[in-house]
Amino acid sequence: MDTKYIYLFSEGNGNMRELLGGKGANLAEMTGLGMPVPQGFTITTEACTRYYEDGETIAPEIEADIFAYLRKMEDICGKKFGDTANPLLVSVRSGARASMPGMMDTILNLGLNDSVAEAMAKLTGNPRFVYDAYRRFIQMFSDVVMELPKKDFEDMIDQIKASKGVKFDKDLDTDDLKKLVVMFKDYYKSKMGEDFPADPNVQLIEAVKAVFRSWNNERAIYYRRMNDIPSSWGTAVNVQSMVFGNMGDDSGTGVAFTRDPSTGEKKLYGEFLMNAQGEDVVAGVRTPQTIDQLAEVMPEVYSQFVDIANRLENHYRDMQDMEFTIEKGKLYMLQTRNGKRTAQAALRIAVQLFDEGMLTKEEALMKIEPKQLDTLLHPNFDDAALKAATAVATGLAASPGAACGAVYFTAADAAAAAANGPVLLVRTLTSPEDIEGMNLAEGILTATGGMTSHAAVVARGMGTCCVSGCGDLVIYEAEKYCTIAGNVVKEGEFVSIDGSTGKVYIGKIPTVDATVSGDFSKIMEWADEIRTLNIRTNADTPADAAQAVAFGAEGIGLTRTEHMFFDADRIPAVREMIISRTTEQRKSALAKLQPMQRGDFEGIFKAMEGRPVTIRLLDPPLHEFLPTADEDIAALADEMGVTFDQLKETVASLHETNPMMGHRGCRLPVTYPEIAEMQATAIIEAAINVKRETGLEIVPEIMIPLTCEVKELAFVKKIVVETADAIIAASDVKVDYLVGTMIEIPRAALTADEIAKEAQFFSFGTNDLTQMTFGFSRDDAGKFLPSYYERNIFEKDPFASVDQSGVGKLVDMASKLGRTTRPDIKLGVCGEHGGDPASIEFFHKVGLNYVSCSPFRVPIARLAAAQAAINNK
Amino acid sequence: MDTKYIYLFSEGNGNMRELLGGKGANLAEMTGLGMPVPQGFTITTEACTRYYEDGETIAPEIEADIFAYLRKMEDICGKKFGDTANPLLVSVRSGARASMPGMMDTILNLGLNDSVAEAMAKLTGNPRFVYDAYRRFIQMFSDVVMELPKKDFEDMIDQIKASKGVKFDKDLDTDDLKKLVVMFKDYYKSKMGEDFPADPNVQLIEAVKAVFRSWNNERAIYYRRMNDIPSSWGTAVNVQSMVFGNMGDDSGTGVAFTRDPSTGEKKLYGEFLMNAQGEDVVAGVRTPQTIDQLAEVMPEVYSQFVDIANRLENHYRDMQDMEFTIEKGKLYMLQTRNGKRTAQAALRIAVQLFDEGMLTKEEALMKIEPKQLDTLLHPNFDDAALKAATAVATGLAASPGAACGAVYFTAADAAAAAANGPVLLVRTLTSPEDIEGMNLAEGILTATGGMTSHAAVVARGMGTCCVSGCGDLVIYEAEKYCTIAGNVVKEGEFVSIDGSTGKVYIGKIPTVDATVSGDFSKIMEWADEIRTLNIRTNADTPADAAQAVAFGAEGIGLTRTEHMFFDADRIPAVREMIISRTTEQRKSALAKLQPMQRGDFEGIFKAMEGRPVTIRLLDPPLHEFLPTADEDIAALADEMGVTFDQLKETVASLHETNPMMGHRGCRLPVTYPEIAEMQATAIIEAAINVKRETGLEIVPEIMIPLTCEVKELAFVKKIVVETADAIIAASDVKVDYLVGTMIEIPRAALTADEIAKEAQFFSFGTNDLTQMTFGFSRDDAGKFLPSYYERNIFEKDPFASVDQSGVGKLVDMASKLGRTTRPDIKLGVCGEHGGDPASIEFFHKVGLNYVSCSPFRVPIARLAAAQAAINNK
């Protein structure tokens, strides 16, 4: 049978997301539910894939199908495309499986040309509306399909307004708009070398192609990468009969949520504008009315809408985000989808839906995007500091949380500066082009736009704090400054914003840590009931350890001992060790470090109250502890009582061509066993001391990094075991301990059956394992990876989400090999992937015992582990 | 049953090498053949392993066994250990499975103490002999077992000689020797804090332990690594009844080969010394007589020896290397083994043994160590230059070949200098401590020592050119110069030596390439009949390609295009490409390179005469083509017409933290597709031109380096294919081509099933694959690998011989995965491992189609591939 590339809305249903995209499937579902949906058809995602396979062309049979379905649509709507008697106008919209709001292209009012416009003007008796629609269509088509610069069209509008001496678009009359249509078409011809296409069929096919193409525009690629959406999915295209919210005062358009997307409160929440098109609401140009005001403006329509909203929420068993249009008093549903929401709202809605009996615990847990919890875990403003601070302005509380950063006025500047510290993106309004800068900013502040403006919607999705529609903000982008209620703030100066109150402060306001309570703690409780994966944390200090325990960490998966070496009171001894020329000198320097390290470990053991603690022996290459600039070397040489030349020589001798693959990890104690001796001594003595003091059973897990060969591990393990056993034998307090290794080198994974003969546990160091499996250094890959994303070679950052087919294969292989040798071997992950939900699901499937992540990621990991368990039941 | 740790010579046989070591097994075999062997027993290699497992102690039951076997030995010999009536003296010698001459320890005359010496003096009527043996024993025991400095003992001998006013050891009389015994024992007590052990049982156990320990001395570890001998094998210990070659003029000792080990000529070849111990011959202190002179000195013994030699060669079906002692007119065989030989001799002997019907072709091929062929492939002196040169001295032609290098007078100095250019090690005589310097030197020149001196034996084994016993050479080691026939040569000055003639020249003599003919070409012919693996070569120039074809290469496995970029006439265009700021600039620079690259490829295609040629696209990071020092940058900026700052910025922007894992390989054309376009154009145009000119079918294999992901390969392949197909379509000459990839990143191996969808061939780049699989950079590993060898963590250099359990596992996995997707995929190796015999055997087993190695390794690879086929039939 031939592939069916096109479905009428009446042929599809809500389960066909993969084929019809989210928008198309939901339009079909609403059609099936008998709701008022402007009819049309969906061109499938498979047609998009085919378009790319065919070298970015639409195959003749698909083109023929499109026109066949257009005919069916004409029959359903009782209008004809390009007809002057009863013309059909259509919208052409993208719609991927996963919602990608604003990322791809839309063209409205398609089907207009001079004769259709003239006929419609007569038919509607509203020529101004028709010519406004016509000029908008030419503008949109030129921009989206032909990529002519938007600004040139706006300039022409400004020109006409100036010549008439008026300020707003609404002040232009039909003749002005007709003039604009002529100007636009002339401009189009001058740029494109051919007439603007008058044939609606040509318009349609070009628009479909443009939507297919937009699947691979830069911001769509970036969004997909950020949201783990494969490029192979493609987008569907929805061709839908146009309805008009701008046909007069009995027309309007709006968007609404069945619950408050900021707080989760159960009440209809949204905005509308009368006599406007949908784009006017989303773009945030005019400030709209709230949805409950519709009850006054059009009570019947309002009550119909409330009814539909309730039915949709019950039907989808989730909070809905709906778009509607009222054309001459008649309500049309243009879209429904599960609504994006803040983390706080997501938790509240999930708990409510469970309480309302609409969802099981498992289903409720699946409603929450784990990454989103991040928002709730970031610090809020310190209460006292906040009381002392005075807000200079207030905008809309568009996305909750607090943010403080240096201000930048373009997305590009913000993105560039983000590497050097926290930044705040400050814009009049944001547009999809700004996506990268928005993602990298701590917070977003805009001068215009409502709660559903681009900035607000995107910020909530990202979990980034946002204040929108701040009327007291004026931005001088070219001059690189802004005024906030008259106060001048230059690029790079600090501003603080509160996305939960909408308040804006000049200067820095200190922040405090987040806590887990209420709905959050209930969701965490449910997650803990269901998950099988343990969640540990990476923590190098007692404070981090305590924070992680507060967030639910069940142990430490990674304590990096080298961070302790950088403290001002220690680095002299560390350097003394490094420049030692004999084992004796080295031992004497290490002896100074030992009591300090013991103290570190005592603090951590106490903070963890008997939970397991994995401590990694010194890992980085020694040159990291020495300066490289001549003046610093000279200063240090003085301080250490050696000559400049001696120290310079040591620094030079430690230089490495590829330090990532150099003298580090367990290669250090292979050369200098006394380093491992000192560290093992500090760990075991600390365990004994804390056990003696607290009575808690302390079982340190001593981890040897960078193993590539079992004999290497055996050598270092022997040092550790001999040291530890001697201390334990001589002590009145007996402690137990484990010795294991990082699996972070491909060879360790490949020979894990051998390695497991010596290792009592494996901890996968997926950061280094990713570097070595891919053969690129994280430090350098930034220079060439952009080309890889651009060309769709990589779809996501392999350092953010574990590469399952390469790195994951090694993890899986090593787990199986390890268990063959030692069935009870403990397996965990301590790379950054330990806090990434997609990676966590993978590690669950591989059968690891735990993942370890930064303290702030622990709740995310708890939820992700529960979802993994549910998904893989 | 209890493990049997000890065997009498009469209990073993020649097949028990693994248990008894080579020496022990052959002593047992000779005993079985009824030959005159001083009897004794062998402590097995398993006892050695057990010694290390037990923390370097001899288990009580093994110690008990040793004494039980000593009793049996006493019964067989009719003498008693430590007895004054009829004392038994023994030697204690190491003996591993594989011959490791001089690497481990030996103690002779064990069983002597004051009373035994006194008794023996009476029994033999030769007190001088007895006390000479006694003082030698104390000396050797102190050195070998207790590690007291040899030199101190020699100083005491010198002291006595000085006090008596004599020059030679032989001038010392019995009283002098008795005095020495007392001095030695006093010295021992002063150093060790206890008396020299008088108890022969203590002497024996300590000596056995010392031999076990010597398995892990530094030079043994180095030798094993060089010769692929696993440390797990351990050494056996042979305890053998002493016989004395120094009991007077009817006694003597010697070594002999059944054929000439230099040339392979079929005649008894060797040396002996009358009234001497074995160590005197090997150490090269006195210059011995040739073996045929024994016919005159002791005709009966000679004829008995000739008979035994013939029987042994026929029995072992190989050339034998024998040690014998004549004690008071009676011949004893102390050892026989397959003799080490020069490559030339190895070839000749193999062909002869086949011709004599003693061996099949396969057996004959197995007699030759492939690595040894290297000697024959190195250049010899240019004939004309040699005629013009005048030898200043002549020594013994100890190991053939020609060498020219800067002279160094200690092994350590030579080893250090070898990194900077060819060196010649010049010594009075060499000893086992010199092993590393000997290995790194181009040639070895000694002042004393015969054809079987340490220097000569070791040099032949290594295939290193050696002239020994050059009487006109005097070395002033401390002053760092020597005189050769009166000419002063300082450290670092050049000397040339001819190991085939024994001639020594001052200065440099140019060399010429080796050719393959005679026995060599016959062996190669046999190898080609038997091997299934194809042998290709790595060649970047027509000259290299032609050389490789002369050596039997069947194609090119790797042409590195970047080497061509460094030529003086090209580097400006390369640099212009790198500093380009636009694609157009880059294309214009590449356009200059293209005709030159085409010319390169035309030359190579012609030289290969239609054999397959694999060309790798540009691989190294671009910064390698730019200078880094400020003054060089300034000069280049001038030359290129850019400012210093601009160029400096480009250099800085190309700097990478870990360049090995940076922007290189196929990552370059992903960023700059025009580079691959230019190279594909040059390759295809060259193929067309050469096909047009010669009529040969040229099928270039275009190789994309550093792939880690199939989509990356697909992207670059598309550029290559589109470029190539367009050129071919436009040409009147049609050529075919393949596109494949290097597998040199772990992820490529792990996802080889995917990669094979795009790649028509795989070439394993085992150099980079080794770096990334082990996680260490070759450039940096030199700093820490010595610790790894020292601690027996690594036994061989994974860059020299492929790591089968890690890297090899990836090669095997990738081969299987690749063939699953594409059953006819061509698989090869182009790393340095392609010329290593052990690696070649592994690649044969994995089922690769070919290995590719440097031209000079091609014959080695041909033989190794044949041996692999024989071993795995």
Side-chain angles (χ1 to χ4, degrees), chain A residues 17 80 129 137 203 268 270 278 333 400 415 437 492 528 565 576 595 645 698 727 739 750 840 847:
Chain A
R17 299 182 75 81
K80 274 187 82 72
F129 152 72
F137 166 59
Q203 294 172 2
L268 205 55
M333 296 301 294
D528 291 350
F565 279 32
E576 189 183 322
D645 287 344
I698 309 295
I727 296 167
V739 182
L750 291 163
I840 289 170

Side-chain angles (χ1 to χ4, degrees), chain B residues 17 136 182 187 325 413 424 446 485 532 687 798 857 860:
Chain B
R17 299 181 75 81
R136 281 174 192 253
V182 174
Y187 171 81
T325 284
D413 290 346
L424 218 58
T446 69
T532 57
R857 292 239 140 199
I860 296 171

Side-chain angles (χ1 to χ4, degrees), chain A residues 655 670 712 750 783 788 791, chain B residues 655 670 712 783 788 791:
Chain A
H655 170 80
V670 167
E712 178 186 39
L750 291 163
K783 285 187 200 146
Y788 277 70
R791 308 193 195 283
Chain B
H655 171 80
V670 167
E712 177 187 42
K783 285 187 199 146
Y788 276 69
R791 307 194 194 285

Side-chain angles (χ1 to χ4, degrees), chain B residues 129 145 206 311 350 451 527 707 721 749 783 789:
Chain B
F129 151 71
V145 182
E206 289 306 318
R311 281 174 63 202
M451 290 296 289
T707 297
V721 167
K783 285 187 199 146
Y789 297 131

Side-chain angles (χ1 to χ4, degrees), chain A residues 189-496:
Chain A
K189 188 170 183 182
S190 76
K191 285 287 174 183
M192 303 302 300
E194 58 184 17
D195 284 328
F196 185 85
D199 180 350
N201 290 344
V202 172
Q203 294 172 2
L204 179 61
I205 292 299
E206 288 306 318
V208 171
K209 281 194 219 163
V211 172
F212 283 155
R213 273 203 307 273
S214 72
W215 176 251
N216 270 335
N217 71 32
E218 218 174 293
R219 61 179 195 270
I221 290 174
Y222 184 78
Y223 187 93
R224 285 203 294 274
R225 184 149 55 86
M226 240 172 60
N227 292 279
D228 293 347
I229 301 172
S231 76
S232 60
W233 282 2
T235 182
V237 181
N238 298 293
V239 178
Q240 190 173 21
S241 169
M242 281 297 298
V243 287
F244 297 96
N246 56 346
M247 284 190 85
D249 290 340
D250 57 349
S251 299
T253 189
V255 298
F257 295 85
T258 55
R259 306 191 183 216
D260 184 332
S262 274
T263 64
E265 193 188 346
K266 188 176 178 179
K267 65 159 196 180
L268 205 55
Y269 178 95
E271 298 163 325
F272 70 98
L273 274 173
M274 292 312 284
N275 200 13
Q277 279 210 346
E279 48 178 340
D280 301 328
V281 184
V282 177
V285 176
R286 275 161 64 193
T287 299
Q289 292 177 276
T290 59
I291 192 75
D292 45 337
Q293 290 175 295
L294 187 61
E296 294 150 35
V297 179
M298 299 188 94
E300 270 177 45
V301 167
Y302 179 70
S303 99
Q304 187 193 358
F305 181 71
V306 169
D307 177 56
I308 288 174
N310 287 335
R311 282 174 62 203
L312 284 173
E313 184 176 279
N314 288 327
H315 183 74
Y316 284 107
R317 299 191 300 151
D318 201 352
M319 185 261 266
Q320 293 301 295
D321 166 2
M322 302 155 296
E323 288 180 19
F324 62 92
T325 284
I326 305 163
E327 186 184 75
K328 302 197 168 191
K330 179 165 164 40
L331 175 70
Y332 289 98
M333 296 301 294
L334 296 188
Q335 164 152 311
T336 192
R337 58 185 174 194
N338 292 341
K340 296 216 180 278
R341 63 206 76 176
T342 63
Q344 195 189 333
L347 294 170
R348 186 150 172 205
I349 291 170
V351 171
Q352 281 172 354
L353 292 177
F354 171 77
D355 288 345
E356 291 165 20
M358 222 188 295
L359 299 179
T360 64
K361 268 184 200 176
E362 283 81 0
E363 286 168 339
L365 284 172
M366 293 307 293
K367 292 289 177 196
I368 305 160
E369 173 60 51
K371 277 185 181 172
Q372 235 192 339
L373 298 183
D374 203 31
T375 354
L376 301 178
L377 301 168
H378 278 301
N380 284 306
F381 288 138
D382 173 68
D383 264 351
L386 196 61
K387 270 177 200 153
T390 309
V392 292
T394 304
L396 300 173
S399 180
C404 168
V407 300
Y408 288 89
F409 304 108
T410 70
D413 289 347
N420 306 316
V423 302
L424 220 56
L425 178 64
V426 179
R427 302 276 289 156
T428 301
L429 50 75
T430 63
S431 65
E433 289 84 8
D434 295 340
I435 188 86
E436 186 164 2
M438 294 172 77
N439 189 38
L440 294 171
E442 295 293 305
I444 300 160
L445 172 61
T446 69
T448 64
M451 290 295 290
T452 50
S453 66
H454 179 265
V457 170
V458 172
R460 281 198 296 273
M462 287 171 172
T464 299
C465 157
C466 175
V467 172
S468 68
C470 177
D472 288 333
L473 172 67
V474 185
I475 292 159
Y476 302 88
E477 192 181 310
E479 294 79 14
K480 300 201 173 186
Y481 75 96
C482 67
T483 59
I484 306 176
N487 303 287
V488 172
V489 179
K490 291 185 201 145
E491 183 184 88
E493 293 181 346
F494 275 74
V495 165
S496 302

Side-chain angles (χ1 to χ4, degrees), chain B residues 556-624:
Chain B
I556 287 181
L558 174 64
T559 290
R560 285 166 288 245
T561 51
E562 56 270 19
H563 287 192
M564 307 165 179
F565 279 33
F566 282 104
D567 281 6
D569 54 339
R570 300 174 186 200
I571 191 119
V574 174
R575 289 169 167 174
E576 191 183 321
M577 168 190 84
I578 294 170
I579 65 165
S580 294
R581 292 178 174 244
T582 67
T583 305
E584 285 59 42
Q585 283 175 358
R586 201 172 303 111
K587 284 191 173 174
S588 119
L590 286 164
K592 295 181 195 165
L593 286 169
Q594 189 186 301
M596 305 191 217
Q597 280 254 295
R598 186 177 57 223
D600 296 329
F601 299 140
E602 285 168 359
I604 288 172
F605 290 146
K606 281 185 202 163
M608 292 308 290
E609 298 165 330
R611 293 177 183 86
V613 174
T614 308
I615 297 173
R616 181 175 71 184
L617 300 187
L618 188 66
D619 186 52
L622 298 180
H623 64 76
E624 289 194 6

Side-chain angles (χ1 to χ4, degrees), chain B residues 662-674:
Chain B
H663 193 191
R664 49 176 285 241
C666 65
R667 296 165 194 170
L668 294 171
V670 167
T671 322
Y672 309 122
E674 49 279 7

